[in-house]
Amino acid sequence: MTVDSLETLSFEQAMAELESLVKRLEEGRLPLEQAMAAYERGTSLKKYCEQKLQAAKMRVEQINMTAEGTIKVEPMGDENL
């Protein structure tokens, strides 16, 4: 199991690690202590990924341009994700 600091991970790396942890937990073969550590790490990774997605969403909202070429901030609805 990778123990990199969350701040050093890209979104893609964090998601890959999270997917790997979920797969290992679903197999049900980890000893209790390793399963608990994997669950804790997975929870942290999930929160980190959610924060990265929220930051990306906010950037997209700030970058929207009108037909005239001016920047217009329009909230992006969840249905567009």
Side-chain angles (χ1 to χ4, degrees):
M1 179 182 335
T2 306
V3 292
D4 293 336
S5 174
L6 292 178
E7 293 80 29
T8 64
L9 296 176
S10 69
F11 174 80
E12 292 78 11
Q13 290 169 323
M15 280 298 296
E17 184 180 346
L18 180 56
E19 289 170 356
S20 174
L21 287 172
V22 168
K23 182 179 178 183
R24 291 178 67 203
L25 285 167
E26 286 178 342
E27 290 172 353
R29 298 183 195 174
L30 291 175
L32 180 60
E33 289 301 317
Q34 287 182 7
M36 292 301 300
Y39 183 82
E40 289 172 1
R41 176 69 174 179
T43 300
S44 296
L45 287 164
K46 177 185 174 285
K47 182 178 178 181
Y48 176 77
C49 288
E50 287 172 341
Q51 290 170 345
K52 286 284 204 180
L53 286 172
Q54 183 62 29
K57 179 180 173 183
M58 291 175 71
R59 285 185 66 194
V60 168
E61 289 175 352
Q62 293 175 356
I63 297 173
N64 288 330
M65 288 194 181
T66 65
E68 296 81 33
T70 60
I71 295 177
K72 181 178 179 184
V73 176
E74 291 182 5
M76 187 171 87
D78 290 336
E79 68 277 357
N80 294 326
L81 290 177

